[in-house]
Amino acid sequence: MQQHFEKYIAGMNLEKGKLRILLTVSGGRDSMCMLHLFIKSGFEIGVAHCNFGLRAAESDGDEAFVAEFCAENQVPFYAKSFETAAYAGSNGISIQMAARDLRYEWFNELSDEKGYDYIATAHHRDDLTETFLINLIRGTGIAGLHGILPVSGKLIRPMLFAGREEITSYVNREKIAFRDDSSNESVYYLRNKIRHEVIPVFEKIEPSFSQKINETAVVIRKGEEIILNSLAIAEREVVTKADGITVIDKRELMCKKPTDYYLYHFLKPFGFTYSQTENILDCITGQSGKEFLSHQYKLIIGRKGLIIQEVESKDDKEYYLIEDFEQITHPLCLKMKQEKINPATFTFPGSELEVCLDKEKLKFPLLLRRWQEGDAFFPLGMDNKKLLSDFFIDEKFEIPQKTGTWLLLSQNDIVWIVGHRIDHRYRITDSTKEIIRFSICKQEK
């Protein structure tokens, strides 16, 4: 088994003498076998042990056992106790999920603090089979069927080459001491129920059932790589991101088949469910403006695309008064600078984020507010008033652009659709003597 172990980890590009590995050891058969194999292989290792306090004296006994073994073998030992039940209760999650969250958070913190390159768990081939079946029962996509990955970022599983029987045989032959966890025999937990009641039935039909599942998981994992590469190419063709807004091009999306699978892949990072994906597709060719919400994001069906943006809390203030040369820091950075006109050096701004207006025509305090239905102005170059709603249509504004539009007013006149267009009446003319230059910048979130 030692040779198989070293061959397997060599295939994971783990080189002794160059890497430091933190082993997660409970004291049970599997993790003690892994610890024994790593010691014999000559890797520089440390051991991390979690005491979840769920089995009273038994949990404390596990910690003492692992600590003593590490001391005898001169292996650095780290232990931490957790209030697992209290954490589960306060976060509304199961004991198993609480233990998982607590241990992996600590493992990552510890490995960073102590300078370990990888974190190793003792998951083996039968664990992969159980995980495969659990995900299948609960319902899953392809990611749930590829099983436990040998390498996932900093996390490695160097025991996936072996099954439970092989590990038990090796532990008995090498006389490796370990501690039995009494909870492993209880069928109260789904994993144990599958281990003790479900898998034995399959093994009666197919003795190499676990091995077959592992081989299938490998094939699925390779197929997943192909699918993910294809999805990445499609995403570059369909999805654009700018200024905190994501847009999924409707025409390009509808060319992708199966469309629902592609769309679900694009929307999943924003928290949208598959059922929402189906509803969005049902509405995609209808009237624009329909909205869908996930926990943190809003999707709006636009004329040409699906527009996704983070849901922001509504401002308590709907308007801001601007005194002479005051800088507004929310919701816009608005800066003002007064300048006298010098025809020889004056140039008009080259960006929509900066404008120049005739100072004599402005009446302070100015007002900064969101646009409202019925608002109208005289667009630059025009002598006729135009409704902002018509301006938005002509400029092909999508709904998020409309709702995010601010106006700068002098008395009751709109002098600037901020970031877009000034009012013709407040433009710079040959008779202008002084100007006020406005510039804005979007605040970083």
Side-chain angles (χ1 to χ4, degrees):
M1 188 171 186
Q2 185 73 37
Q3 289 180 339
H4 290 164
F5 170 74
E6 294 190 9
K7 181 180 179 181
Y8 188 75
I9 61 177
M12 298 167 69
N13 296 318
L14 302 180
E15 299 181 43
K16 57 186 173 184
K18 294 184 178 181
L19 300 173
R20 302 180 72 236
I21 301 178
L22 181 67
L23 310 185
T24 62
V25 179
S26 66
R29 180 189 288 108
D30 305 335
S31 62
M32 291 304 295
C33 179
M34 177 180 70
L35 175 54
H36 187 270
L37 290 168
F38 265 108
I39 290 174
K40 289 183 67 175
S41 69
F43 271 85
E44 184 178 355
I45 60 172
V47 165
H49 175 84
C50 296
N51 186 335
F52 295 111
L54 298 172
R55 292 175 290 118
E58 191 177 343
S59 294
D60 295 335
D62 292 345
E63 180 178 337
F65 167 75
V66 178
E68 182 179 353
F69 183 93
C70 289
E72 291 174 356
N73 290 274
Q74 298 180 323
V75 175
F77 174 73
Y78 315 96
K80 185 169 183 176
S81 297
F82 299 95
E83 297 292 336
T84 314
Y87 180 87
S90 62
N91 288 275
I93 57 178
S94 68
I95 292 290
Q96 291 73 32
M97 286 301 299
R100 186 186 188 283
D101 291 349
L102 290 168
R103 68 174 174 265
Y104 282 113
E105 181 180 3
W106 178 56
F107 291 156
N108 282 302
E109 290 174 355
L110 182 61
S111 66
D112 290 342
E113 178 187 343
K114 302 298 182 180
Y116 287 97
D117 300 290
Y118 288 101
I119 302 165
T121 69
H123 291 98
H124 50 72
R125 190 168 61 223
D126 291 288
D127 289 320
L128 186 150
T129 302
E130 293 161 10
T131 300
F132 182 98
L133 292 175
I134 288 171
N135 290 340
L136 196 62
I137 290 168
R138 290 173 172 168
T140 184
I142 192 170
L145 296 179
H146 66 206
I148 303 170
L149 297 174
V151 181
S152 179
K154 201 173 183 179
L155 194 63
I156 60 173
R157 284 92 173 195
M159 299 293 289
L160 286 179
F161 72 97
R164 186 173 287 110
E165 287 187 6
E166 296 167 78
I167 292 172
T168 299
S169 176
Y170 180 78
V171 166
N172 292 339
R173 185 171 64 251
E174 297 292 324
K175 295 182 173 54
I176 301 171
F178 64 90
R179 298 264 297 182
D180 270 323
D181 183 344
S182 59
S183 65
N184 286 335
E185 301 304 316
S186 170
V187 294
Y188 173 78
Y189 301 116
L190 176 60
R191 181 175 293 274
N192 289 351
K193 193 175 186 68
I194 288 173
R195 178 183 304 166
H196 297 301
E197 297 183 358
V198 177
I199 291 178
V201 175
F202 281 108
E203 288 177 336
K204 286 180 181 179
I205 300 170
E206 173 53 68
S208 58
F209 173 71
S210 183
Q211 179 64 38
K212 299 286 187 184
I213 290 293
N214 276 258
E215 291 171 357
T216 300
V218 170
V219 173
I220 291 174
R221 190 153 61 237
K222 291 179 179 179
E224 182 188 26
E225 290 181 17
I226 296 172
I227 292 172
L228 290 176
N229 287 335
S230 176
L231 288 170
I233 293 170
E235 188 166 354
R236 289 194 291 270
E237 297 170 348
V238 176
V239 182
T240 57
K241 299 180 180 181
D243 297 328
I245 295 177
T246 299
V247 178
I248 299 174
D249 187 286
K250 292 201 295 190
R251 178 182 292 180
E252 292 289 343
L253 173 66
M254 299 308 289
C255 292
K256 307 297 180 186
K257 306 296 179 184
T259 307
D260 58 338
Y261 188 86
Y262 278 96
L263 181 58
Y264 177 59
H265 173 77
F266 301 148
L267 295 182
K268 189 177 179 181
F270 301 101
F272 291 95
T273 64
Y274 184 77
S275 61
Q276 284 180 299
T277 299
E278 292 181 311
N279 292 335
I280 291 166
L281 274 178
D282 289 341
C283 301
I284 201 168
T285 57
Q287 185 176 358
S288 62
K290 190 170 181 60
E291 296 185 5
F292 296 84
L293 293 174
S294 69
H295 182 65
Q296 287 184 282
Y297 291 89
K298 174 171 63 176
L299 181 148
I300 303 170
I301 297 181
R303 291 191 300 273
K304 295 183 178 180
L306 306 178
I307 303 152
I308 306 163
Q309 61 183 157
E310 193 168 2
V311 176
E312 297 181 355
S313 57
K314 186 176 176 62
D315 268 330
D316 290 331
K317 287 189 69 174
E318 295 293 332
Y319 64 90
Y320 299 85
L321 289 175
I322 304 173
E323 302 295 342
D324 203 359
F325 302 106
E326 178 183 357
Q327 179 177 329
I328 299 297
T329 57
H330 183 80
L332 302 167
C333 299
L334 181 59
K335 299 178 181 178
M336 295 187 296
K337 181 181 179 182
Q338 182 171 315
E339 304 173 17
K340 289 189 176 182
I341 286 287
N342 182 340
T345 60
F346 175 76
T347 56
F348 285 96
S351 167
E352 292 180 334
L353 300 181
E354 187 176 66
V355 295
C356 292
L357 302 176
D358 192 317
K359 180 181 181 298
E360 290 185 0
K361 297 175 182 176
L362 295 173
K363 308 296 182 185
F364 283 86
L366 304 179
L367 177 68
L368 182 70
R369 67 164 171 83
R370 299 277 191 180
W371 86 281
Q372 302 168 357
E373 288 290 344
D375 280 335
F377 79 127
F378 290 81
L380 182 65
M382 294 179 60
D383 293 323
N384 298 319
K385 185 175 286 191
K386 186 170 193 171
L387 288 170
L388 259 66
S389 55
D390 292 336
F391 173 78
F392 292 150
I393 292 172
D394 292 345
E395 296 297 314
K396 296 181 169 57
F397 272 40
E398 293 284 7
I399 292 173
Q401 288 177 283
K402 296 179 187 178
T403 57
T405 296
W406 288 82
L407 308 177
L408 185 65
L409 290 84
S410 173
Q411 294 186 338
N412 293 321
D413 291 341
I414 296 172
V415 300
W416 185 25
I417 303 175
V418 179
H420 298 286
R421 190 74 58 85
I422 66 169
D423 187 287
H424 185 75
R425 296 166 296 176
Y426 292 83
R427 72 193 187 282
I428 305 301
T429 66
D430 291 339
S431 60
T432 301
K433 297 178 181 178
E434 289 187 273
I435 67 170
I436 292 184
R437 189 183 297 266
F438 294 90
S439 61
I440 63 170
C441 63
K442 294 182 179 178
Q443 290 180 300
E444 295 295 329
K445 291 186 179 181

